[in-house]
Amino acid sequence: MMSLETKSVVRCLQFSQFPASSNLLALGVRSGVAVKSCTLPAVQKPGGQGGSLVDNLQLEDVVTIKTDSSASDVRQTALAWSPLADGRDGETAIRLTCASSDFKIQYINSDHEGTTATLIGCHKSYINSLAAHPTNAALVASGGDDRCCVLWDLEAGKVVSRLQLKHPCVEVAWHPQEPMKLLVADKSRGIHFYDMNTQVPIMTLDITSHTHQQLTPPLLSVDWLPSNYLLIGGVANGHWAIWDVSQSRYPLEVKSAHNGPATAFRWCSAGEQMFATIGNHGNEVKVHHLGHQKVPISTNLPGVGGISWHATLPLLAASSHRSVRFWGLEL
């Protein structure tokens, strides 16, 4: 494990999942966003010799951007990298959307020409999730406690469409191969898939079933497996669950993850077998492997704000108060 100390509490963090900027890690700090470059000059293949990924990890400050807010204690609640971001040497361009605790959504643009933070719009309550469209950089989806999922046009700074839900929205995510298919998860009813051209629900995955009574609301986090979009993972109470949309609307597998409530679920982008969860009231991080019963990582950390996987490597980052911890794993 490697630790990066920070001057401010890190409330959320996000590796870019786009190839040109996969070396960039955004940290949601008080009243702004800090961007780090994470480089691995001598990366070993998973399972090879030469030590862990974190033995070779080099971290550099790129830029810290203050967002537009009237309050000094505003914290970031969600981040989403744009496909226009670029982390290559000499061409660094920071493009990302951030949501803050004052319910605002802002678009950050930073390169050699300067830095801007543009207000896009607001929710009426806390914003839990942001998702940048994988091919149309002008579109971003958001979901919040105001029971709304909103599709924004970043260029025009306006709402494209709005879904009114019956329960708070905890997660939004785009399907990269079906451009206007959006995953929308709410706390109580389950996981919904919408055609955002028509705003019509396509299907719904249930949280509970007769065979998995231990999985009960609230559902607090959901993730789409990047390498196989038939698989969905999520956490409810202290359990994790896996759905296969090609087989059933009910979870295929449910297991206990934490003694206390689980609040986050993130698939490892580099493989189909591994995922990470946050639980025990936000004070525990675990990595799970579907191929065996062993838990590769189980560690107590105070005040975990978020977890994020590198786009192409089994490298996990987790924020804990004024620090970010990194683990390199084998697939």
Side-chain angles (χ1 to χ4, degrees):
M1 185 187 73
M2 176 181 177
S3 181
L4 168 70
E5 302 303 315
T6 61
K7 294 180 180 180
S8 179
V9 174
V10 181
R11 300 291 185 179
C12 57
L13 77 172
Q14 185 67 51
F15 273 114
S16 173
Q17 296 301 302
F18 298 103
S21 54
S22 61
N23 63 311
L24 297 179
L25 174 65
L27 310 179
V29 295
R30 188 176 65 180
S31 302
V33 176
V35 178
K36 308 291 182 180
S37 172
C38 305
T39 57
L40 294 155
V43 174
Q44 300 291 327
K45 293 183 179 180
Q49 300 300 314
S52 167
L53 287 174
V54 295
D55 294 337
N56 298 311
L57 184 63
Q58 296 180 1
L59 301 170
E60 295 181 2
D61 295 332
V62 177
V63 65
T64 297
I65 303 155
K66 184 175 176 60
T67 53
D68 182 19
S69 176
S70 58
S72 60
D73 59 346
V74 168
R75 64 185 186 276
Q76 309 310 308
T77 60
L79 301 163
W81 282 97
S82 165
L84 297 180
D86 196 329
R88 293 172 292 183
D89 288 342
E91 301 182 32
T92 302
I94 307 304
R95 309 279 190 270
L96 61 86
T97 307
C98 63
S100 50
S101 58
D102 56 0
F103 316 152
K104 293 179 179 179
I105 295 175
Q106 298 183 60
Y107 180 65
I108 291 174
N109 187 334
S110 180
D111 53 29
H112 65 278
E113 295 182 354
T115 299
T116 59
T118 304
L119 178 64
I120 302 302
C122 302
H123 277 250
K124 294 181 180 179
S125 188
Y126 284 102
I127 302 164
N128 298 313
S129 181
L130 292 170
H133 194 279
T135 57
N136 187 344
L139 297 180
V140 167
S142 63
D145 283 350
D146 56 358
R147 303 180 182 182
C148 283
C149 170
V150 184
L151 181 58
W152 305 89
D153 185 325
L154 299 179
E155 294 178 351
K158 66 177 184 180
V159 174
V160 176
S161 58
R162 185 188 303 270
L163 299 174
Q164 187 63 53
L165 309 174
K166 294 183 179 180
H167 303 278
C169 180
V170 297
E171 206 86 62
V172 290
W174 292 102
H175 193 300
Q177 297 169 348
E178 299 179 41
M180 292 305 287
K181 186 175 182 179
L182 184 69
L183 179 155
V184 179
D186 71 52
K187 276 188 176 180
S188 299
R189 293 291 296 274
I191 304 164
H192 316 281
F193 302 91
Y194 283 88
D195 181 339
M196 292 305 289
N197 285 316
T198 62
Q199 301 182 46
V200 173
I202 302 168
M203 68 176 296
T204 296
L205 302 179
D206 285 349
I207 299 179
T208 59
S209 74
H210 294 299
T211 57
H212 294 299
Q213 292 296 331
Q214 69 268 42
L215 190 69
T216 57
L219 178 70
L220 292 182
S221 181
V222 173
D223 197 23
W224 225 329
L225 178 60
S227 58
N228 181 356
Y229 282 84
L230 295 176
L231 295 183
I232 308 291
V235 288
N237 284 315
H239 294 78
W240 60 258
I242 307 295
W243 290 261
D244 185 333
V245 298
S246 68
Q247 296 189 30
S248 173
R249 63 184 293 179
Y250 300 110
L252 295 182
E253 189 172 4
V254 177
K255 288 189 177 180
S256 177
H258 302 273
N259 290 329
T263 57
F265 181 108
R266 289 294 179 263
W267 287 106
C268 175
S269 303
E272 294 189 5
Q273 295 290 304
M274 201 154 54
F275 58 89
T277 58
I278 299 174
N280 193 18
H281 303 282
N283 293 302
E284 185 177 53
V285 173
K286 285 187 177 182
V287 172
H288 312 264
H289 199 292
L290 294 175
H292 52 70
Q293 297 296 318
K294 183 173 67 174
V295 178
I297 291 175
S298 179
T299 183
N300 293 319
L301 291 175
V304 181
I307 48 177
S308 183
W309 291 93
H310 190 277
T312 60
L313 299 167
L315 176 66
L316 176 68
S319 62
S320 173
H321 284 319
R322 289 181 171 84
S323 69
V324 179
R325 310 295 177 91
F326 297 88
W327 293 268
L329 295 103
E330 294 185 1
L331 295 173

